[in-house]
Amino acid sequence: MIRTITMGTYVSVQGVFLHSLPNGKIAVKVGKKVYEGKPV
């Protein structure tokens, strides 16, 4: 499933959902990199 997250005010990343984190953020994978941020 594709999900979008925000990292800061102006940066958003869209990638494959990996898992939810205890602090309310989620992790998405783009290529070989994993990004964590708040879901949109």
Side-chain angles (χ1 to χ4, degrees):
M1 175 192 325
I2 301 294
R3 297 289 301 265
T4 304
I5 60 170
T6 57
M7 297 171 43
T9 306
Y10 300 107
V11 179
S12 60
V13 176
Q14 192 171 36
V16 179
F17 175 77
L18 292 179
H19 58 271
S20 297
L21 301 169
N23 59 2
K25 295 181 179 182
I26 63 171
V28 296
K29 185 174 184 179
V30 181
K32 293 183 179 180
K33 291 195 170 200
V34 176
Y35 298 94
E36 296 177 0
K38 292 185 179 183
V40 173

